[in-house]
């Protein structure tokens, strides 16, 4: 009898479309191939086959990473966006500020006493 392992967490299971790849992976790999293959053939004569292949791999690498890489269930663009937001867009130090209710009561009490003193003195 055949044994098929069933994952315990079914939320991590992704639907495969073709060649055991997800739709996201197929789109990203296809985009990389549409840019990388013509680039290889354009650079083949002027640079030689090994340099053209290296250039093609460098151009296709971001597409591959977009299709495959995931961290904590988030795709590459969300991870990079989070890093950019944290490092470049938000301030380095974020001071901890609270609205202290007792401070507000103290200020109100001080104002009440001052008004009372003005009314009594005038």
């Amino acid at each position: 009898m055949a044994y098929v392992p069933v994952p315990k967490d079914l939320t991590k299971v992704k639907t495969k479309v073709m060649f055991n790849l997800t739709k996201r992976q197929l789109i990203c790999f296809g985009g990389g191939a549409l840019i990388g293959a013509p680039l290889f053939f354009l650079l083949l004569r002027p640079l030689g086959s090994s340099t053209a292949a290296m250039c093609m791999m460098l151009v296709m690498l971001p597409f591959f990473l977009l299709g495959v890489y995931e961290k904590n269930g988030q795709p590459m663009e969300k991870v990079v966006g989070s890093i950019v937001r944290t490092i470049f867009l938000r301030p380095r130090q974020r001071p901890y500020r609270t609205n202290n209710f007792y401070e507000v009561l103290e200020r109100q009490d001080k104002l009440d006493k001052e008004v009372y003193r003005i009314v009594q003195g005038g």
Side-chain angles (χ1 to χ4, degrees):
M1 176 156 275
Y3 176 76
V4 178
V6 177
K8 292 183 180 185
D9 188 8
L10 294 177
T11 60
K12 294 181 180 179
V13 175
K14 296 184 178 159
T15 308
K16 308 296 183 185
V17 179
M18 255 185 343
F19 309 119
N20 206 20
L21 297 172
T22 63
K23 183 169 52 170
R24 175 185 182 84
Q25 290 170 341
L26 282 172
I27 291 169
C28 289
F29 294 166
L34 283 175
I35 292 174
L39 179 72
F40 173 75
F41 291 114
L42 285 174
L43 297 177
L44 184 61
R45 284 220 171 120
L47 300 178
S49 63
S50 61
T51 309
M54 288 299 287
C55 290
M56 178 185 70
M57 286 190 300
L58 288 175
V59 168
M60 291 174 72
L61 185 64
F63 291 97
F64 178 77
L65 289 176
L66 282 172
V68 174
Y69 184 79
E70 274 191 5
K71 182 174 184 177
N72 299 327
Q74 293 184 337
M76 178 78 161
E77 64 270 10
K78 289 195 177 189
V79 172
V80 170
S82 176
I83 291 170
V84 166
R85 227 177 299 113
T86 302
I87 293 176
F88 299 113
L89 301 179
R90 299 247 169 97
R92 286 272 187 215
Q93 290 185 347
R94 299 184 303 172
Y96 179 72
R97 294 185 193 131
T98 60
N99 294 327
N100 191 344
F101 181 69
Y102 297 106
E103 236 176 64
V104 173
L105 290 176
E106 240 176 58
R107 216 176 319 135
Q108 185 63 41
D109 186 48
K110 190 186 280 186
L111 289 172
D112 288 343
K113 286 179 182 177
E114 185 178 340
V115 167
Y116 182 75
R117 197 170 13 98
I118 291 171
V119 169
Q120 292 299 324

